[in-house]
Amino acid sequence: MSGVVAGFTVIFVIIAIGYLLGRRGTLGAEGETVLGRLVFFVATPALLFDSLASSDLSVIFSPTLAVAAVTALTVGALYMVVARVWLRRSLPELTIGALSASYVNSANLGIPIAVFVLGDASFVAPLLLFQIIAYSPIALTILDVTTLRRGASRLDTITAPFKNPIVLAGAAGLLIALLGWTPPEALMQPFRLMGGASVPGALLAFGISLYGVRVLEKGTSPRRDVALASVLKIVVQPVLAYLMARYLLGLEGHELFAIVVVATLPTAQNVFVYASRYGVGTVLARDTAFVTTLAAIPGIALVSGLLAG
């Protein structure tokens, strides 16, 4: 349990610093926007390129990858169906909602939790790679195409995904890993340094966004959307992960425990960054990340009590 507290302490402290920056106006009226754009266009692409270029792609072919992919896509699709039928949301809103319900905080919270609770950071590696290689590009492609300006040409629609910095950085890093080439350290160090700003930058931007607003405030927050996404993320996704790992893959013991813990991690702050970039679903992404982060603490504690042996 101390590992859970330690992991969550990291994220709350940085968010609190962001909140104080917003309250004091240290970064100015456009601080959140500028910081979010820096994370989206520079820091996150650099982090993804560095992570993938130096990764061992053999970790992709593992039970954790299969569970991560199937549960994320299933929960995301379930959100889109329910929210479309029940709440009548547009496709861009559905996309942000689906990410809020299934995109796991695998980096800034997943790694500390994996180290402190599971004893090995490699448990989150397949999930991290899946989200970088497949899930983000799919979601960002949908957002690129569906939020294009009115009157955009067919060529704009086709080429939009290939202009996205996150998609391009992920593809470049994956290509280097597949080729087995080790770039010179002098070339990789700038990307490593810039990528180091991605996680704290996203958390700071999230903290700044909390100032001056009330989370789940009536009239401004899409409470039904947040409730749906939060239940899917903290309850449905871990249950699906358990059922698939235990009964389809036959996993037991610590490996089963690790997969369920990873699935119980909250919504990633990157979803808020994506929502801010495309100007859609920002309140949904912010409130869901906040709710699921709080709910994940007892959730992971419960999983630990039931499955940790």
Side-chain angles (χ1 to χ4, degrees), residues 24-164:
R24 294 177 61 87
T26 305
L27 302 183
E30 300 298 321
E32 176 196 334
T33 301
V34 174
L35 186 56
R37 290 175 67 85
L38 176 66
V39 171
F40 185 89
F41 285 101
V42 179
T44 298
L47 175 64
L48 300 188
F49 177 75
D50 176 52
S51 299
L52 283 175
S54 58
S55 66
D56 178 5
L57 294 183
S58 64
V59 302
I60 292 180
F61 304 101
S62 67
T64 303
L65 173 69
V67 174
V70 171
T71 57
L73 295 174
T74 300
V75 170
L78 182 59
Y79 176 92
M80 296 185 81
V81 171
V82 174
R84 179 61 180 173
V85 173
W86 177 34
L87 303 174
R88 304 292 182 181
R89 303 306 185 205
S90 65
L91 185 54
E93 292 174 313
L94 291 174
T95 303
I96 293 297
L99 288 175
S100 298
S102 59
Y103 199 98
V104 175
N105 193 329
S106 58
N108 53 307
L109 188 54
I111 292 174
I113 291 296
V115 172
F116 292 123
V117 178
L118 305 177
D120 188 351
S122 66
F123 281 112
V124 299
L127 171 63
L128 180 62
L129 291 178
F130 162 71
Q131 294 186 157
I132 292 171
I133 295 170
Y135 207 18
S136 284
I138 291 172
L140 294 176
T141 297
I142 295 174
L143 290 170
D144 275 323
V145 172
T146 58
T147 60
L148 283 172
R149 64 187 185 279
R150 295 184 64 180
S153 67
R154 180 172 297 180
L155 180 62
D156 289 332
T157 302
I158 295 173
T159 60
F162 303 100
K163 299 176 182 178
N164 188 291

Side-chain angles (χ1 to χ4, degrees), residues 61-297:
F61 304 101
S62 67
T64 303
L65 173 69
V67 174
V70 171
T71 57
L73 295 174
T74 300
V75 170
L78 182 59
Y79 176 92
M80 296 185 81
V81 171
V82 174
R84 179 61 180 173
V85 173
W86 177 34
L87 303 174
R88 304 292 182 181
R89 303 306 185 205
S90 65
L91 185 54
E93 292 174 313
L94 291 174
T95 303
I96 293 297
L99 288 175
S100 298
S102 59
Y103 199 98
V104 175
N105 193 329
S106 58
N108 53 307
L109 188 54
I111 292 174
I113 291 296
V115 172
F116 292 123
V117 178
L118 305 177
D120 188 351
S122 66
F123 281 112
V124 299
L127 171 63
L128 180 62
L129 291 178
F130 162 71
Q131 294 186 157
I132 292 171
I133 295 170
Y135 207 18
S136 284
I138 291 172
L140 294 176
T141 297
I142 295 174
L143 290 170
D144 275 323
V145 172
T146 58
T147 60
L148 283 172
R149 64 187 185 279
R150 295 184 64 180
S153 67
R154 180 172 297 180
L155 180 62
D156 289 332
T157 302
I158 295 173
T159 60
F162 303 100
K163 299 176 182 178
N164 188 291
I166 293 178
V167 175
L168 291 175
L174 180 59
L175 178 61
I176 288 177
L178 289 172
L179 292 175
W181 177 50
T182 301
E185 183 63 21
L187 176 63
M188 295 305 297
Q189 190 64 24
F191 292 100
R192 192 164 298 122
L193 289 173
M194 291 187 294
S198 176
V199 169
L203 291 174
L204 288 172
F206 181 73
I208 294 173
S209 74
L210 295 177
Y211 176 67
V213 299
R214 295 176 60 185
V215 176
L216 298 176
E217 183 176 15
K218 185 177 182 180
T220 60
S221 176
R223 293 183 174 183
R224 292 180 298 176
D225 304 65
V226 173
L228 174 61
S230 298
V231 170
L232 288 173
K233 179 70 214 65
I234 298 299
V235 178
V236 176
Q237 192 166 11
V239 170
L240 285 178
Y242 173 81
L243 294 175
M244 181 177 176
R246 178 68 180 87
Y247 297 106
L248 291 182
L249 300 178
L251 301 179
E252 297 179 343
H254 190 69
E255 191 171 11
L256 174 63
F257 168 58
I259 285 177
V260 179
V261 166
V262 169
T264 312
L265 290 169
T267 303
Q269 272 70 36
N270 278 359
V271 179
F272 172 76
V273 173
Y274 298 161
S276 299
R277 167 68 185 96
Y278 292 95
V280 59
T282 53
V283 177
L284 167 60
R286 181 200 68 202
D287 288 2
T288 304
F290 185 82
V291 171
T292 56
T293 299
L294 293 179
I297 300 175

